[in-house]
Amino acid sequence: MAQASSAVSINRRKRFVSLPFRGFVVTLAVILLRFVPINVSAAARRQPPQQQLPQKLRFGRNGEFKILQVADMHYADGKTTPCLDVLPHQVHGCSDLNTSAFIQRMIQAEKPNFIVFTGDNIFGFDATDSTKSLNAAFAPAIAAGIPWAAVLGNHDQEGTLSREGVMKHIVGLKHTMSQFNPSEAHIIDGFGNYNLEVGGVEGSGFANKSVLNLYFLDSGDYSTVPGIPGYGWIKPSQQLWFQRTSAKLQRAYMSPPNVQKSSAPGLVYFHIPLPEFASFDSSNFTGVRQEGISSASVNSGFFTTIVEAGDAKAVFTGHDHLNDFCGQLMGIQLCYAGGFGYHAYGKAGWSRRARLVVASLEKTEKGGWGAVKSIKTWKRLDDQHLTAIDGHVLWSKNSAGTRRKKHILGHA
């Protein structure tokens, strides 16, 4: 009975649509995908709100840039919102405030340079006032004065604000670097597609170059295409923007001054995992998989787009709270963060968690800081000691060429 109850809980919180005719649906979707029109008039009216962005992101003088990923807070009404799936002795007094306290602990312990919230920031169905819930959800980051960014999940818009309204509110909050949509893309699906550049150390030869590129995309909520059930996906208009942005950044990095021979590494953040997350088993990933991969029922080809672009080294998502693994496919790391929020479904006795990523710079011959040499990751659990687990290297400049050659030759 416990297993059945848990399954019902997971499906209720996700509002997942079962797919009895998956094979037929995927075939139909592939045919329809390129013919789904963008609402040009609506897209043209989506003008990004005015915002004052914080100071440019850049590496610290220790040659590192640390990112805290917070996935699936599911924030609602604060202390009156109960926790889900916790041990019996944890139920009393447990609320959204436990989620806020976890963020505060992570900030104090890790002192991140940047925080990324990867969707389902609030649980709209249980939020009496979405504006207040958003303010409370992001309050710890704002209070700490740390630059932060957010993307939307599939639950953020299910309260008193539309999906557009949620993103407009987010970009108006203090210390956020979130953007409504790219100014250069007049027609693009979704809300919250943007990129951020991380400059080299101040005073170094890379101070005016973006040595680490961050991409953020709206992976949608639910399919709006008749006959295609399930979750949303990253659309062709978004992929085109990603391709053009990646190409522009690579050209800039490999142009004067301080010409580089290869592109700066990129990291990609969105909410709903790609179908390719299902490519792994326990023998070829780091972490755990305790539930199915709840991707869209269609494969829009974004993973292929990422591979072809050539600069992204890792993708980070949320959505499936009981999965926290990283696995490498065709040179790209596909990573879950694991569930963070206490009003989100979870597993009693399995700690809420957060993912950290740190990019480290190499030393130049003259002793200064140069380009990114490695990207590492680990997770911390919300237990007594904020236990760190599953630390490993996501990407290393020294081994990148070797891995590329192996993939070209067809050997894993």
Side-chain angles (χ1 to χ4, degrees):
M1 288 295 292
Q3 290 180 342
S5 176
S6 177
V8 169
S9 174
I10 290 174
N11 284 338
R12 179 174 64 84
R13 304 309 290 181
K14 285 187 175 180
R15 299 181 65 83
F16 179 69
V17 182
S18 61
L19 306 173
F21 303 104
R22 192 179 186 92
F24 169 75
V25 166
V26 171
T27 303
L28 176 64
V30 170
I31 296 172
L32 292 177
L33 193 58
R34 296 292 175 175
F35 296 92
V36 177
I38 299 172
N39 187 333
V40 176
S41 59
R45 291 196 301 268
R46 296 171 185 171
Q47 297 300 321
Q50 294 297 317
Q51 64 181 122
Q52 185 66 43
L53 293 179
Q55 188 178 359
K56 176 181 172 63
L57 297 174
R58 66 171 61 254
F59 278 72
R61 295 200 174 276
N62 63 348
E64 293 185 346
F65 188 81
K66 185 186 292 185
I67 302 172
L68 167 63
Q69 181 189 358
V70 175
D72 299 272
M73 288 189 291
H74 280 230
Y75 208 96
D77 287 344
K79 66 181 180 180
T80 62
T81 299
C83 296
L84 300 180
D85 300 324
V86 295
L87 294 171
H89 73 271
Q90 297 174 311
V91 173
H92 180 71
C94 191
S95 71
D96 279 336
L97 300 187
N98 291 64
T99 301
S100 299
F102 186 19
I103 299 177
Q104 291 166 345
R105 293 183 74 199
M106 289 299 303
I107 290 173
Q108 292 170 4
E110 289 287 358
K111 297 177 176 57
N113 302 101
F114 187 56
I115 303 174
V116 180
F117 297 91
T118 49
D120 283 2
N121 308 295
I122 64 172
F123 190 71
F125 282 115
D126 293 341
T128 304
D129 184 326
S130 292
T131 297
K132 292 181 179 179
S133 296
L134 288 165
N135 293 344
F138 298 122
I142 293 171
I146 297 173
W148 59 276
V151 293
L152 301 182
N154 53 295
H155 288 308
D156 291 289
Q157 79 291 339
E158 293 170 335
T160 57
L161 289 176
S162 66
R163 197 168 183 81
E164 180 177 0
V166 170
M167 201 66 213
K168 281 184 175 179
H169 184 73
I170 288 174
V171 301
L173 295 175
K174 290 183 178 180
H175 305 303
T176 190
M177 304 210 53
S178 308
Q179 297 174 33
F180 184 75
N181 264 334
S183 58
E184 71 276 11
H186 300 295
I187 300 174
I188 190 168
D189 287 276
F191 306 97
N193 303 286
Y194 55 101
N195 70 288
L196 296 172
E197 302 177 11
V198 185
V201 176
E202 190 73 63
S204 73
F206 288 81
N208 296 319
K209 277 189 176 293
S210 178
V211 296
L212 180 68
N213 295 311
L214 308 178
Y215 301 94
F216 305 87
L217 295 102
D218 181 1
S219 54
D221 48 10
Y222 304 99
S223 170
T224 58
V225 180
I228 302 180
Y231 294 112
W233 56 87
I234 294 174
K235 305 297 198 310
S237 64
Q238 297 167 282
Q239 296 188 45
L240 179 61
W241 166 79
F242 175 84
Q243 289 172 317
R244 289 176 172 174
T245 303
S246 172
K248 179 183 68 175
L249 291 169
Q250 291 185 60
R251 284 194 303 270
Y253 193 66
M254 293 185 279
S255 299
N258 204 355
V259 176
Q260 298 300 299
K261 295 180 180 179
S262 59
S263 60
L267 306 177
V268 187
Y269 290 91
F270 49 88
H271 181 69
I272 298 174
L274 301 173
E276 285 79 6
F277 273 70
S279 302
F280 310 107
D281 56 41
S282 59
S283 69
N284 59 3
F285 64 62
T286 301
V288 297
R289 173 178 172 175
Q290 300 178 112
E291 62 174 308
I293 310 301
S294 298
S295 58
S297 61
V298 300
N299 191 330
S300 68
F302 187 49
F303 179 75
T304 301
T305 298
I306 293 173
V307 174
E308 288 178 342
D311 64 330
K313 309 305 177 189
V315 171
F316 301 95
T317 69
H319 193 56
D320 298 327
H321 308 176
L322 300 183
N323 296 337
D324 73 352
F325 67 80
C326 278
Q328 187 184 83
L329 182 65
M330 299 186 70
I332 309 294
Q333 295 278 353
L334 302 178
C335 298
Y336 280 108
F340 190 101
Y342 279 87
H343 187 53
Y345 77 82
K347 182 180 179 181
W350 194 69
S351 299
R352 264 60 176 187
R353 59 204 57 214
R355 180 172 293 283
L356 291 120
V357 170
V358 63
S360 301
L361 301 178
E362 62 187 0
K363 280 284 190 177
T364 63
E365 293 179 357
K366 296 182 180 180
W369 291 113
V372 175
K373 70 173 181 180
S374 67
I375 301 173
K376 301 175 183 177
T377 189
W378 64 97
K379 299 184 292 282
R380 279 195 183 266
L381 311 181
D382 192 21
D383 58 15
Q384 182 179 355
H385 303 290
L386 279 180
T387 304
I389 62 171
D390 295 339
H392 64 286
V393 176
L394 291 174
W395 175 82
S396 172
K397 184 177 181 179
N398 293 334
S399 61
T402 302
R403 279 203 304 270
R404 260 197 315 270
K405 187 178 294 184
K406 285 184 178 179
H407 286 299
I408 291 172
L409 293 175
H411 301 293

